[in-house]
Structure formats: C-alpha cells, structure tokens
C-alpha cells in the first residue's frame, strides 16, 4: 500500500485507497480477499502479498495496458 500511496502522491492521475478487510466484509467477498495485502488495480490486475517495486510497477502497467499512469 505504501508504494501505491507514493505513486498517487507523485502523479495526480493515480489514486490509492487502503481498505480494512474486516471493516468492509462485502468488499472483501467481492474481491475474494484471502490474504493481505490484496492489491486490485483497475479491477483488471490483482495479487496478494507484497511485490518488489519493479513487479508492482509492471502490474500497474498491465492494468493500464501499458499506457502512462
């Protein structure tokens, strides 16, 4: 989440939200949260667990079809 927040600070075209899974059970079920962190990008790419920065950026680019985020 920290990396997503840093990206949002660096670019006005990016937003990041941190949701507490236990406080929002409907959302947790919708996104099938089984472990945290669960990252969902544009409802197109999702993964659980921490990723190195390079892999996280790759996931962001995949979610935006390689367009500048």
């Amino acid at each position: 989440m920290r990396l997503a927040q840093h990206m949002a600070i660096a670019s006005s075209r990016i937003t990041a939200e941190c949701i507490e899974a236990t406080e929002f059970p409907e959302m947790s079920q919708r996104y099938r949260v089984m472990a945290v962190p669960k990252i969902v990008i544009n409802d197109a790419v999702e993964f659980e667990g921490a990723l190195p920065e390079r892999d996280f950026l790759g996931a962001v680019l995949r979610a935006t079809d390689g367009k500048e985020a």
Side-chain angles (χ1 to χ4, degrees):
M1 185 59 212
R2 185 173 292 148
L3 181 55
Q5 290 174 330
H6 286 295
M7 292 175 82
I9 291 168
S11 173
S12 62
R13 297 177 62 190
I14 297 172
T15 60
E17 291 184 60
C18 180
I19 306 294
E20 175 58 47
T22 59
E23 291 181 20
F24 297 92
E26 309 85 24
M27 189 175 283
S28 296
Q29 288 177 328
R30 175 181 172 198
Y31 290 105
R32 297 178 305 277
V33 175
M34 303 301 280
V36 293
K38 169 84 179 221
I39 307 295
V40 180
I41 306 169
N42 292 348
D43 285 330
V45 174
E46 58 184 66
F47 55 90
E48 292 179 340
L51 289 182
E53 286 186 25
R54 181 183 190 124
D55 296 336
F56 189 94
L57 179 57
V60 170
L61 292 173
R62 282 193 310 279
T64 60
D65 295 327
K67 298 176 188 134
E68 183 181 330

